[in-house]
Amino acid sequence: SHSKRGRVCFSGRMTAATRQEVLSLYRRVLRIARGWQAQSGVPQDTYSERNYISQEARTLFRQNKQIGESESIRKCIQECQARIEIGLHYRIPYPRPTHLPPLGLATQKARKLRSQEKRRKQAQPIYLQSHDETS
């Protein structure tokens, strides 16, 4: 549920310190979005990228607000921090794709689609963990 100021509220299972860390990250992402300038310098690109950053943050923070396990919360925090650092470093707000050949991780015996999908998910960098769920 939401407070009157429109902030995302998190489940009561989170410690106060963790809740503060999550809210601080959320505010940081929204501040980054407000000040974001597209690399191209085109105003429409800047607007689109700012909108993408804000929408992605809202979607992921709302989607993850029911997470109660501290380990899962920690992974979400790490993913958020990684995406912030990568986005700021490369000046690209979108997750950087990973390039794996279609059967690059499968052994000769394990070329079944389900095991291949599992291997792809395991090989996915932390900054892309939520990307499949929102794209």
Side-chain angles (χ1 to χ4, degrees):
S1 60
H2 303 280
S3 68
K4 291 179 184 172
R5 302 175 98 195
R7 289 191 182 143
V8 178
C9 296
F10 296 89
S11 69
R13 296 173 293 217
M14 191 182 299
T15 67
T18 304
R19 186 175 189 282
Q20 278 307 115
E21 184 179 6
V22 170
L23 290 173
S24 175
L25 269 175
Y26 186 65
R27 286 190 297 269
R28 181 175 180 211
V29 171
L30 295 180
R31 274 194 305 276
I32 289 169
R34 279 194 303 272
W36 187 264
Q37 293 294 317
Q39 266 187 323
S40 67
V42 177
Q44 181 58 43
D45 290 350
T46 293
Y47 173 78
S48 297
E49 290 178 11
R50 284 179 178 178
N51 190 45
Y52 170 80
I53 294 167
S54 298
Q55 282 303 117
E56 181 81 348
R58 276 188 207 99
T59 299
L60 289 175
F61 277 82
R62 284 182 182 146
Q63 171 185 307
N64 295 333
K65 74 180 181 179
Q66 298 303 322
I67 294 175
E69 293 178 28
S70 60
E71 183 60 32
S72 297
I73 293 169
R74 181 71 27 219
K75 284 182 181 178
C76 289
I77 289 170
Q78 289 172 345
E79 177 185 355
C80 183
Q81 291 168 334
R83 287 183 70 173
I84 288 170
E85 296 310 315
I86 289 168
L88 291 174
H89 178 78
Y90 291 102
R91 301 300 307 157
I92 299 171
Y94 312 105
R96 298 185 69 220
T98 54
H99 301 287
L100 296 171
L103 295 173
L105 297 173
T107 62
Q108 283 297 99
K109 294 180 180 177
R111 292 196 187 267
K112 295 178 186 156
L113 183 59
R114 207 170 276 184
S115 65
Q116 181 63 27
E117 287 173 2
K118 183 179 176 184
R119 283 187 174 80
R120 282 185 165 286
K121 191 72 174 167
Q122 289 170 339
Q124 197 172 40
I126 191 154
Y127 59 84
L128 287 175
Q129 294 297 312
S130 297
H131 184 65
D132 288 344
E133 299 160 11
T134 60
S135 59

